């Protein structure tokens, strides 16, 4: 492709466009788009969608968040569940919301969150009942418990926690089809649509109950939502956050935190098990630093390969793999391309993470590519967004992921079947596996280290 021409991807069928090919194999479909240009056109039904296939062009779009605002079919589905939360709100609301929430994610608060993470992870991982476990369930359950503890400062009954996790999974899995199918089909009272709506209502009701508990003084004093509902945290000036707005934020943070961390830790464990050399190096690091104890904030500088393994799993299977934006101005441009107002634009961290021009041997699982000085970015392209809309909890998520991955690896030898999937086949709005069977056995005893990583 030359000049400012936006290439039309071949293979569109009458009436449905590329919808059939996308739904049949969405990841392979996306991965093949970069061969047609850096900005390409596909069609879902009669709807024209532009897909950005270049990391620099993606960052250009993300930096111009008022021109390329959050919108389009994926965000329409997110707003059904999360309302006008920080991740899904339009730019006119984003800056006020971000100023309100930012103090809860200030770097000075991360050590306190890490202490809560360690406590929850220690109990959850120590309670694994092997030898057979479902890694997907265990990592999601642990991440859910961590999020609820740090968000609300309270323990949650396992039954209620698991019910919430199931409802969010229903929302995420139903959301993908609702994003690409016509709105009229999403409104029909089909069993799938009814399950989706019931799950959405239950999840919001549960979060509303937790918010009322925080307002009543329940839970821990250092939790994230205690900060948000305090005198200085509930809003700025004469515009404090309402309970409805707080529910929107709670759903947003719960989905983003649980799904991101659970998915990447699950994939990291699986990929390390499938690559023995990586698995041995990861285990050696975790066990030499930790022995069998849980990882802490003080251990993080001593676990560099654990973080590299996490980042490589994040590159290969990013949870937020498909993101849409909406063009808001008449004179918008991306690189050499004119982009009409109202255009839906898609970018995919999955596509960007597999570009051969960006990553040597992109299909290869190679944590060493994230060693200092080897990659020009600190995290894989597109996984946490960029510009003013960069994920507010990115470092929180990475800290939790390292603590969880290190603690599991220090205590357990994890084995997954050679024929287990190395990538998801039927993704939802996230790429997390629905089930991943593993055999776990207690790790060999190793000398315990002090919490600061010293012997």
């Amino acid at each position: 492709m030359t000049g400012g021409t936006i290439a039309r991807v071949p293979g569109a069928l009458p009436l449905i466009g590329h919808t059939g090919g996308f739904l049949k194999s969405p990841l392979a479909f996306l991965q093949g788009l970069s061969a047609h240009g850096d900005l390409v056109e596909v069609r879902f039904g009669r709807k024209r969608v532009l897909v950005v296939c270049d990391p620099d062009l993606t960052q250009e779009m993300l930096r111009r968040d008022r021109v390329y605002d959050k919108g389009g079919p994926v965000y329409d589905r997110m707003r059904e569940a999360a309302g006008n939360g920080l991740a899904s709100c339009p730019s006119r609301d984003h800056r006020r919301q971000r100023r309100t929430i930012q103090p809860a994610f200030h770097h000075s608060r991360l050590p306190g969150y890490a202490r809560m993470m360690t406590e929850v992870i220690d109990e959850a991982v120590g309670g694994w009942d092997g030898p057979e476990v479902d890694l997907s369930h265990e990592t999601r359950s642990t991440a859910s418990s961590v999020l609820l503890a740090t968000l609300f400062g309270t323990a949650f009954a396992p039954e209620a926690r698991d019910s919430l996790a199931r409802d969010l999974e229903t929302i995420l899995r139903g959301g993908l089809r609702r994003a690409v199918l016509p709105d009229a089909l999403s409104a029909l009272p089909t069993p799938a649509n009814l399950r989706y709506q019931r799950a959405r209502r239950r999840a919001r009701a549960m979060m509303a109950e937790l918010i009322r508990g925080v307002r009543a003084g329940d839970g821990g004093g250092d939790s994230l939502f205690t900060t948000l509902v305090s005198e200085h945290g509930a809003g700025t000036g004469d515009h404090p956050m309402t309970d409805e707005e707080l529910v929107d934020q709670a759903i947003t943070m719960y989905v983003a935190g649980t799904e991101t961390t659970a998915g990447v830790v699950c994939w990291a464990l699986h990929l390390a098990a499938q690559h023995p050399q990586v698995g041995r190096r990861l285990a050696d690091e975790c066990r030499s630093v930790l022995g069998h104890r849980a990882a802490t904030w003080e251990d993080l500088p001593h676990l560099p390969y654990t973080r590299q393994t996490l980042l490589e799993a994040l590159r290969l299977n990013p949870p937020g793999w498909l993101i849409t934006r909406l063009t808001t101005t008449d004179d918008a441009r991306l690189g050499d391309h004119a982009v009409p107002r109202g255009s839906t634009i898609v970018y995919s961290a999955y596509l960007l993470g597999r570009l051969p021009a960006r990553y040597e041997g992109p299909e290869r699982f190679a944590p060493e590519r994230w060693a200092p000085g080897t990659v020009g970015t600190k995290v894989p392209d597109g996984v946490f967004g960029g510009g003013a809309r960069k994920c507010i909890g990115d470092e929180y998520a990475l800290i939790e992921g390292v603590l969880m991955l290190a603690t599991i690896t220090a205590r357990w030898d994890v084995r997954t079947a050679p024929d287990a999937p190395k990538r998801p086949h039927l993704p939802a709005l996230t790429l997390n596996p629905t089930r991943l069977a593993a055999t776990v056995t207690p790790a060999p005893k190793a000398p315990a280290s002090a919490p600061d990583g010293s012997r």
Side-chain angles (χ1 to χ4, degrees), residues 80 178 182-190 193-194 197:
E80 287 179 345
R178 295 170 69 84
D183 290 342
L185 294 181
S186 297
L188 294 175
T190 64
N193 287 340
L194 293 174
Q197 295 297 349

Side-chain angles (χ1 to χ4, degrees), residues 98-118:
R98 186 147 186 140
R99 283 196 304 270
T100 299
I101 295 170
Q102 189 70 59
F105 285 96
H106 190 272
H107 184 76
S108 63
R109 297 186 63 87
L110 294 178
Y113 295 148
R115 284 191 290 273
M116 286 190 270
M117 292 173 185
T118 296

Side-chain angles (χ1 to χ4, degrees), residues 187-203:
L188 294 175
T190 64
N193 287 340
L194 293 174
R195 282 195 302 273
Y196 177 91
Q197 295 297 349
R198 285 195 295 267
R200 184 186 67 83
R201 288 192 295 269
R202 281 195 301 264

Side-chain angles (χ1 to χ4, degrees), residues 59-369:
Q59 285 303 315
E60 179 184 336
M61 177 188 69
L62 293 175
R63 286 192 297 269
R64 301 169 66 194
D65 63 298
R66 292 184 184 275
V67 176
Y68 302 105
D69 204 353
K70 290 207 170 178
V74 169
Y75 282 104
D76 290 344
R77 302 291 79 83
M78 288 179 63
R79 287 173 184 140
E80 287 179 345
N84 201 43
L86 185 66
S88 55
C89 69
S91 61
R92 66 175 180 271
D93 300 326
H94 175 257
R95 281 157 176 78
R96 177 182 70 87
Q97 290 194 22
R98 186 147 186 140
R99 283 196 304 270
T100 299
I101 295 170
Q102 189 70 59
F105 285 96
H106 190 272
H107 184 76
S108 63
R109 297 186 63 87
L110 294 178
Y113 295 148
R115 284 191 290 273
M116 286 190 270
M117 292 173 185
T118 296
E119 182 178 340
V120 174
I121 293 168
D122 186 21
E123 181 178 356
V125 172
W128 281 14
D129 185 18
E132 299 292 330
V133 301
D134 177 3
L135 282 183
S136 179
H137 171 79
E138 296 296 344
T139 54
R140 184 178 279 112
S141 176
T142 302
S144 176
S145 295
V146 167
L147 257 292
L148 291 167
T150 53
L151 287 181
F152 301 108
T154 184
F156 217 49
E159 305 80 30
R161 179 200 62 212
D162 291 345
S163 175
L164 179 61
R166 285 193 299 270
D167 283 339
L168 267 297
E169 184 175 344
T170 298
I171 292 168
L172 291 167
R173 297 213 161 268
L176 178 64
R177 288 187 176 276
R178 295 170 69 84
V180 298
L181 292 175
D183 290 342
L185 294 181
S186 297
L188 294 175
T190 64
N193 287 340
L194 293 174
R195 282 195 302 273
Y196 177 91
Q197 295 297 349
R198 285 195 295 267
R200 184 186 67 83
R201 288 192 295 269
R202 281 195 301 264
R204 291 189 64 84
M206 189 173 293
M207 288 302 181
E209 182 179 348
L210 288 168
I211 294 294
R212 288 192 293 270
V214 172
R215 285 208 186 275
D218 300 339
D222 198 36
S223 71
L224 191 149
F225 267 82
T226 301
T227 301
L228 290 184
V229 302
S230 68
E231 180 179 353
H232 299 292
T236 56
D238 298 324
H239 302 284
M241 281 193 177
T242 65
D243 279 8
E244 187 73 11
E245 289 176 314
L246 289 169
V247 169
D248 292 348
Q249 305 303 344
I251 291 282
T252 297
M253 293 177 193
Y254 179 87
V255 172
T258 299
E259 288 298 310
T260 297
T261 305
V264 72
V265 171
C266 185
W267 286 119
L269 289 166
H270 176 40
L271 290 165
Q274 297 290 305
H275 297 79
Q277 186 174 356
V278 172
R280 285 192 295 270
R281 184 174 172 184
L282 177 65
D284 287 346
E285 176 177 273
C286 295
R287 293 165 192 175
S288 68
V289 173
L290 304 175
H292 270 212
R293 65 177 174 80
T296 68
W297 167 264
E298 290 76 15
D299 295 314
L300 293 173
H302 307 286
L303 297 166
Y305 192 73
T306 307
R307 185 179 174 106
Q308 290 169 219
T309 303
L310 198 76
L311 289 174
E312 182 68 344
L314 189 59
R315 178 185 72 84
L316 287 171
N317 291 316
W321 62 285
L322 187 72
I323 304 296
T324 58
R325 293 291 175 96
L326 202 62
T327 309
T328 62
T329 63
D330 292 319
D331 56 352
R333 299 190 68 83
L334 273 180
D336 295 332
H337 310 290
V339 182
R341 177 193 284 269
S343 296
T344 296
I345 303 183
V346 167
Y347 78 92
S348 169
Y350 183 90
L351 183 160
L352 297 176
R354 282 175 159 75
L355 292 175
R358 188 71 161 179
Y359 300 101
E360 182 180 353
E363 296 293 335
R364 183 168 55 93
F365 179 60
E368 62 272 12
R369 75 173 82 238

